[in-house]
Amino acid sequence: MQAVDRSHIPTRPLITAYFQYRVDDFEDRIDCFEERDTLPDEDMRVAIAKARSELKQLKKERDAELARLKEEEQVILDEHSSVNMAVIIDALEN
């Protein structure tokens, strides 16, 4: 039986950590913009709106990537079962 090569599939914790780092960075940036927005002669509304929009897009990208990864993992698990079944059938036929 041939093992399934999963080395090309990023692990869920790695992807989660990558996106969490980026989400945290955007949230920190938004907090900083909001602090500056309270200062006189500082209008950060545009920067805040842009950062929030980018954060929303990043979260959509993260969710899509995690869903894709989950689907890919399921395909590999199903594929692995098919390989096992093929080996069993082959053994019974001979």
Side-chain angles (χ1 to χ4, degrees):
M1 178 176 6
Q2 184 179 16
V4 177
D5 178 18
R6 297 181 185 169
S7 63
H8 67 286
I9 301 172
T11 63
R12 184 178 301 276
L14 182 63
I15 289 175
T16 302
Y18 166 77
F19 279 106
Q20 190 58 49
Y21 172 80
R22 295 198 53 212
V23 165
D24 290 345
D25 184 51
F26 269 106
E27 289 174 345
D28 289 344
R29 221 180 307 169
I30 291 168
D31 289 344
C32 187
F33 291 157
E34 288 174 340
E35 280 182 34
R36 285 180 55 192
D37 194 45
T38 63
L39 300 174
D41 299 327
E42 290 282 340
D43 185 3
M44 302 301 293
R45 287 178 293 179
V46 172
I48 291 169
K50 182 178 180 201
R52 284 185 178 151
S53 174
E54 290 174 348
L55 176 59
K56 184 177 178 181
Q57 183 61 35
L58 178 65
K59 287 180 177 181
K60 284 182 183 179
E61 184 182 333
R62 174 197 61 197
D63 294 345
E65 182 63 22
L66 290 174
R68 184 198 64 77
L69 180 61
K70 184 176 182 179
E71 184 177 311
E72 192 169 311
E73 287 173 347
Q74 186 60 45
V75 167
I76 287 176
L77 291 175
D78 289 346
E79 189 176 281
H80 189 65
S81 297
S82 298
V83 170
N84 284 340
M85 183 61 83
V87 170
I88 292 169
I89 292 170
D90 187 47
L92 294 176
E93 288 179 356
N94 290 330

